[in-house]
């Protein structure tokens, strides 16, 4: 089981080789310093639990918190993980330069870390976050854009760099975006269903309402789970076509959901109602 640690650790200035001294100037300073020391001790305990290799390193993977895309893989040591906890910026250890480096320190394409997970064997780490820009030095969204099947069939120079590793959800979004881009090209024959929906807002909205009603019916009529999954797939597909029409990325929707995790649903609705007045 992967274990998350970042949620209970407050940002702090930390180095595994440094120690903090308690000032006696006033009680407020003492309380604040004790809090930092407590967090410091938690970080020390966490770092002690990782199974570092003989060079003091562990594999560190950066993953997009919204899309699920694997952005890059590097290595981290104790100081790199501690720096990531403190700065909330994905930090690694460069084996070639034998020094820490924060992704984005030269390009400003930082990876803003929301959480950190350690695997069940405690020898690899995931930085779960949001990138400020392209992660790969080639300018690609992630470092993983080379499909093995393509490599086996074509020369490396012929491989398209935009074939990113995508989850099912984002593969669907990419397909819908492609159909939208093709609207500018006249086509003969019967148009695809996605093309028809993209060209007819009234048809699209009627289908979303229809599919949403059928989804609700699976609950009202106590239909089997497979039927509910099927109807939800229809709702999701048609809703994603609407997002494409409105030029809204699925990532934007997921970001809104993530920001609501710590909010009361009642308070969030009240806030939206007051802002619309």
């Amino acid at each position: 089981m992967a274990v998350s640690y970042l949620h209970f650790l407050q940002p702090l200035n930390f180095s595994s080789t440094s120690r903090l001294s308690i000032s006696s100037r006033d009680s407020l300073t003492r309380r604040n310093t004790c809090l930092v020391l407590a967090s410091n001790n938690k970080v020390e305990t966490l770092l002690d639990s990782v199974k570092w290799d003989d060079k003091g390193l562990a594999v560190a993977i950066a993953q997009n918190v919204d899309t699920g895309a694997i952005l890059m893989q590097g290595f981290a040591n104790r100081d790199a993980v501690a720096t990531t906890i403190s700065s909330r910026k994905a930090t690694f250890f460069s084996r070639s330069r034998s020094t820490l480096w924060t992704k984005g320190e030269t390009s400003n394409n930082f990876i803003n870390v929301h959480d950190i997970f350690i695997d069940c064997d405690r020898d690899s780490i995931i930085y779960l976050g949001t990138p400020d820009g392209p992660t790969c030095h080639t300018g690609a969204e992630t470092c993983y854009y080379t499909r093995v099947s393509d490599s086996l069939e074509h020369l490396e120079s012929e491989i398209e760099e935009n074939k990113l590793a995508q989850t099912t959800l984002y593969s669907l979004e990419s397909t819908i975006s492609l159909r939208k881009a093709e609207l500018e090209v006249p086509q003969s024959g019967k148009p695809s269903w996605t093309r028809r929906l993209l060209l007819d807002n009234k048809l699209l909205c009627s289908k979303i309402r229809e599919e949403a009603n059928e989804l609700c019916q699976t609950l009202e009529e106590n239909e089997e789970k497979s039927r509910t999954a099927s109807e939800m797939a229809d709702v999701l597909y048609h809703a994603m076509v609407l997002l494409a029409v409105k030029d809204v990325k699925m990532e934007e929707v997921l970001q809104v959901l993530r920001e609501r995790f710590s909010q009361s649903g009642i308070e969030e609705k009240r806030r939206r109602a007051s802002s619309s007045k």
Side-chain angles (χ1 to χ4, degrees):
M1 177 185 296
V3 180
S4 169
Y5 284 92
L6 189 57
H7 65 280
F8 67 79
L9 294 172
Q10 299 300 316
L12 61 145
N13 294 321
F14 175 86
S15 171
S16 61
T17 59
S18 65
R19 293 295 182 269
L20 298 173
S21 61
I22 300 179
S23 171
S24 58
R25 290 183 179 180
D26 53 58
S27 59
L28 178 60
T29 300
R30 286 195 296 271
R31 285 198 302 272
N32 289 342
T33 305
C34 287
L35 287 174
V36 172
L37 282 172
S39 295
N40 192 344
N41 290 334
K42 288 182 179 180
V43 174
E44 290 276 15
T45 301
L46 163 63
L47 297 177
D48 288 340
S49 72
V50 177
K51 294 180 181 178
W52 311 103
D53 66 14
D54 56 0
K55 296 181 180 179
L57 302 176
V59 171
I61 299 167
Q63 182 179 11
N64 190 309
V65 67
D66 291 320
T67 69
I70 302 300
L71 301 174
M72 61 168 291
Q73 180 257 308
F75 292 87
N77 61 4
R78 294 176 66 97
D79 285 340
V81 176
T83 300
T84 300
I85 292 173
S86 175
S87 67
R88 302 297 173 94
K89 305 291 184 185
T91 302
F92 303 85
F93 181 82
S94 171
R95 295 179 299 172
S96 61
R97 292 180 286 138
S98 297
T99 186
L100 295 186
W101 68 278
T102 298
K103 172 59 185 172
E105 61 188 18
T106 56
S107 65
N108 288 322
N109 293 331
F110 295 99
I111 298 175
N112 305 293
V113 176
H114 296 274
D115 214 338
I116 298 175
F117 284 81
I118 299 177
D119 80 330
C120 57
D121 293 325
R122 312 192 74 77
D123 59 4
S124 66
I125 301 164
I126 288 181
Y127 294 152
L128 201 60
T130 52
D132 283 335
T135 298
C136 185
H137 70 282
T138 64
E141 179 182 340
T142 87
C143 293
Y144 297 91
Y145 54 76
T146 303
R147 184 180 293 152
V148 170
S149 59
D150 291 341
S151 297
L152 295 176
E153 296 174 6
H154 307 287
L155 295 176
E156 185 175 356
S157 60
E158 297 176 348
I159 297 174
E160 296 181 27
E161 292 189 359
N162 61 354
K163 289 187 177 180
L164 304 179
Q166 294 181 321
T167 59
T168 301
L169 191 65
Y170 287 92
S171 292
L172 175 59
E173 182 178 61
S174 294
T175 300
I176 294 173
S177 296
L178 179 61
R179 298 292 177 267
K180 183 180 179 182
E182 293 172 347
L183 292 179
E184 303 296 328
V185 181
Q187 291 187 349
S188 59
K190 187 177 181 179
S192 69
W193 179 242
T194 301
R195 185 181 179 91
R196 288 181 59 191
L197 292 172
L198 289 168
L199 291 171
D200 191 336
N201 290 350
K202 185 175 180 180
L203 173 63
L204 175 57
C205 289
S206 68
K207 287 300 298 181
I208 293 176
R209 295 186 180 101
E210 175 188 330
E211 300 298 346
N213 182 62
E214 292 179 359
L215 175 62
C216 290
Q217 286 178 357
T218 67
L219 175 62
E220 296 165 343
E221 301 176 10
N222 195 28
E223 298 185 45
E224 58 186 25
K225 291 170 60 177
S226 61
R227 180 67 176 172
T228 302
S230 177
E231 294 301 336
M232 183 60 201
D234 289 339
V235 172
L236 187 58
Y237 158 71
H238 287 89
M240 289 179 68
V241 175
L242 187 149
L243 292 180
V245 172
K246 294 290 293 181
D247 290 322
V248 176
K249 296 291 186 182
M250 195 66 192
E251 187 172 353
E252 298 175 64
V253 177
L254 296 178
Q255 181 179 355
V256 172
L257 286 175
R258 174 166 45 80
E259 291 172 349
R260 292 180 181 176
F261 284 167
S262 59
Q263 298 181 27
S264 160
I266 295 176
E267 290 299 323
E268 195 278 329
K269 286 185 177 180
R270 184 178 298 143
R271 180 182 60 79
R272 278 194 289 169
S274 61
S275 64
S276 63
K277 292 180 181 179

